[in-house]
């Protein structure tokens, strides 16, 4: 998951904290009793956008946070919906104070990709399985 955000939110956005909340949500998420994401596959990062324009540029305090979640194919529609709802609810709660006092656009998109189009070299799954 990648969070792109307007740099004017850097100081009050607590993005490190938000990354942790989102990662914990993904690793804890269960649909029909099964884990949706293995812990070794979860990564959340936040990237400040230094150059941006929101709307016509006249709202000087306006900010944005856009979440892009990329997942491998094969999860059910219920799992994808639960994921998006859970993550977006966390984002809305995390930014409730800023939303109440300034212009703020929050968004989340889910991109599902084919495993045939990716290369991976990851020892995290094995490390999480160790006793």
């Amino acid at each position: 998951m990648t969070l792109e955000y307007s740099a004017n939110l850097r100081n009050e956005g607590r993005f490190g904290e938000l990354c942790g909340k989102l990662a914990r949500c993904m690793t804890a998420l269960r649909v029909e009793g099964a884990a949706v994401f293995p812990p070794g596959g979860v990564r959340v990062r936040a990237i400040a956008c230094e150059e941006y324009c929101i709307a016509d540029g006249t709202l000087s305090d306006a900010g944005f946070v856009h979440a892009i979640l990329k997942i491998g194919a094969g999860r059910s529609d219920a799992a994808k919906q639960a994921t998006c709802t859970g993550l977006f609810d966390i984002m809305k709660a995390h930014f409730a104070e800023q939303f109440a006092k300034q212009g703020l656009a929050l968004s989340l998109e889910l991109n599902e990709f084919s495993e045939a189009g990716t290369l991976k070299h990851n020892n995290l799954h094995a490390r999480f399985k160790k006793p």
Side-chain angles (χ1 to χ4, degrees):
M1 178 175 224
T2 302
L3 304 172
E4 297 175 347
Y5 66 93
S6 56
N8 65 336
L9 296 176
R10 180 181 284 122
N11 293 336
E12 292 185 35
R14 304 177 338 269
F15 284 94
E17 178 184 328
L18 178 59
C19 288
K21 289 178 189 177
L22 295 169
R24 286 187 295 278
C25 174
M26 285 192 282
T27 58
L29 187 63
R30 303 281 185 273
V31 172
E32 297 178 8
V36 177
F37 301 102
V42 174
R43 296 163 207 41
V44 182
R45 59 197 150 256
I47 300 168
C49 297
E50 298 295 333
E51 305 295 331
Y52 61 90
C53 182
I54 298 171
D56 64 0
T58 60
L59 297 175
S60 62
D61 73 337
F64 71 86
V65 181
H66 180 65
I68 304 158
L69 178 62
K70 296 178 183 178
I71 64 171
R75 290 172 179 85
S76 69
D77 287 342
K80 290 185 277 190
Q81 184 62 50
T83 299
C84 289
T85 300
L87 294 172
F88 200 59
D89 285 349
I90 289 169
M91 289 174 62
K92 290 188 299 184
H94 185 84
F95 289 104
E97 185 178 317
Q98 284 93 342
F99 196 87
K101 68 180 183 180
Q102 71 183 80
L104 184 59
L106 302 176
S107 56
L108 182 146
E109 70 176 281
L110 176 102
N111 293 317
E112 187 175 26
F113 59 87
S114 165
E115 291 295 328
T118 65
L119 299 173
K120 298 176 186 171
H121 186 64
N122 178 350
N123 68 0
L124 296 172
H125 297 289
R127 292 177 66 96
F128 276 101
K129 288 182 181 177
K130 285 186 175 182

